[in-house]
Amino acid sequence: MAVLKQNQEFDADSIPEIVVGIASDMVLHDSGFHLHKTKSQLLYAPSGCMTVTTSDRQLVLPPLRMLWIPANEVHRVNFRNIVAYRSIYFDESYAGKYINTGLKVLHVNPLLKEIIERICFWDWSALKNDQTHLLKVFWDEMQRAPAEKLELKMPKDWRFNKIIEDWTQRNSIPPMLKVLAEKTGAVEKTISRIFKKETGLSYQDWRQQWRLQRSIELLVEGNSIGEVSHILDFSSDSAFIEFFKKHTGSTPLQYVMKNE
């Protein structure tokens, strides 16, 4: 079995096969924080957008991006739109022969896309010869796949726990520094110091990176430029377009077209 229904329970560690693929069309999903003790995971969605949160960072996965998650990495997967969910689990002892890296976002080329799709629909059984041959091509492509910078360090200070959860759930967006100080009761200098220490960015720069990640999600979900601009509190559509182009090198429309 490879196709899962929405909210169907699944435990990759309980399956003995060294390669286990699953596929599902899901919506409004929150996996909660968890880890896989014996298996590394490749997470990918050919359509839709996922957000992955770990103990110290947030990563966004639009189409044409995949995430390698090593065994024992605590993570949480969220999405609010319809997502064509694809996930492959590899025994750590097996995967370690081909890839030795931490959490990493990688580009998915057309060949990898087709291979991932095929693996996700394999039966959960011992590998056949043709499957072993295909996996050799898979690992060759994985090792060549360029890394992508789509992550944001998250602050851990207890004063921000509740509001960070609201931002993770997309119930609100990070406000201007003055407003955050009012909401949390912390003075602006304290907030700035904490964010610089724990994320490497000033709060203002961190907020901009958060808005960039959220804008990618919203665009992939099918929102218009005007809708994204309004949701993320930009002064105008043109201000949002300029912001997006500055950070990605593409206009929002160009970015969406590249990810279709």
Side-chain angles (χ1 to χ4, degrees):
M1 183 180 69
V3 179
L4 299 186
K5 297 179 181 179
Q6 179 89 27
N7 299 322
Q8 181 177 343
E9 291 188 7
F10 174 78
D11 178 14
D13 288 329
S14 68
I15 301 171
E17 277 67 39
I18 62 173
V19 180
V20 176
I22 61 173
S24 180
D25 289 337
M26 296 184 182
V27 64
L28 297 174
H29 177 71
D30 182 353
S31 71
F33 282 105
H34 65 287
L35 58 81
H36 309 292
K37 295 181 179 179
T38 63
K39 284 183 166 62
S40 296
Q41 180 183 10
L42 180 68
L43 189 61
Y44 167 64
S47 65
C49 190
M50 295 185 282
T51 304
V52 180
T53 308
T54 70
S55 59
D56 68 346
R57 73 192 80 176
Q58 175 181 283
L59 307 101
V60 62
L61 291 180
L64 304 185
R65 310 296 188 278
M66 59 186 172
L67 178 63
W68 180 259
I69 307 173
N72 293 299
E73 177 77 47
V74 176
H75 61 283
R76 173 186 187 182
V77 183
N78 288 88
F79 43 87
R80 287 145 293 280
N81 56 322
I82 297 174
V83 165
Y85 180 90
R86 303 289 185 265
S87 188
I88 308 174
Y89 301 86
F90 302 91
D91 271 8
E92 180 67 7
S93 58
Y94 165 69
K97 300 174 183 177
Y98 301 97
I99 186 168
N100 183 19
T101 183
L103 200 75
K104 185 174 288 188
V105 178
L106 300 168
H107 181 76
V108 179
N109 64 29
L111 179 56
L112 265 173
K113 177 181 178 180
E114 294 304 320
I115 294 174
I116 291 170
E117 193 73 9
R118 186 174 297 186
I119 294 173
C120 285
F121 288 91
W122 283 351
D123 290 334
W124 297 347
S125 59
L127 293 174
K128 302 177 178 64
N129 285 338
D130 61 330
Q131 294 173 329
T132 300
H133 295 324
L134 187 62
L135 283 168
K136 290 180 180 178
V137 180
F138 168 81
W139 289 118
D140 284 345
E141 293 299 314
M142 278 287 291
Q143 290 163 0
R144 295 189 182 100
E148 305 244 354
K149 187 71 174 178
L150 288 169
E151 66 178 55
L152 180 64
K153 291 276 286 185
M154 303 295 283
K156 297 181 179 180
D157 192 279
W158 62 270
R159 281 165 284 198
F160 303 118
N161 285 349
K162 184 179 183 303
I163 199 163
I164 288 288
E165 176 64 13
D166 282 343
W167 297 342
T168 298
Q169 292 295 335
R170 305 316 194 227
N171 295 325
S172 62
I173 70 171
M176 298 294 286
L177 179 58
K178 181 180 179 180
V179 177
L180 181 61
E182 294 170 354
K183 284 179 176 290
T184 60
V187 299
E188 293 181 26
K189 286 185 178 180
T190 299
I191 294 173
S192 298
R193 176 178 54 79
I194 291 171
F195 269 79
K196 190 67 175 179
K197 178 181 178 182
E198 297 188 351
T199 73
L201 299 171
S202 68
Y203 175 72
Q204 291 90 335
D205 288 342
W206 186 92
R207 175 175 178 264
Q208 294 293 67
Q209 288 298 312
W210 189 97
R211 292 207 292 174
L212 177 64
Q213 285 198 349
R214 182 64 177 133
S215 71
I216 290 172
E217 292 176 345
L218 291 167
L219 289 167
V220 172
E221 289 169 12
N223 291 276
S224 68
I225 289 173
E227 288 169 333
V228 177
S229 176
H230 173 72
I231 292 169
L232 297 180
D233 286 342
F234 284 91
S235 58
S236 66
D237 293 359
S238 59
F240 166 61
I241 294 171
E242 185 62 30
F243 162 85
F244 194 89
K245 188 173 182 180
K246 174 183 176 182
H247 287 280
T248 67
S250 304
T251 67
L253 182 58
Q254 289 168 339
Y255 189 90
V256 170
M257 290 179 66
K258 285 192 296 185
N259 282 277
E260 289 180 343

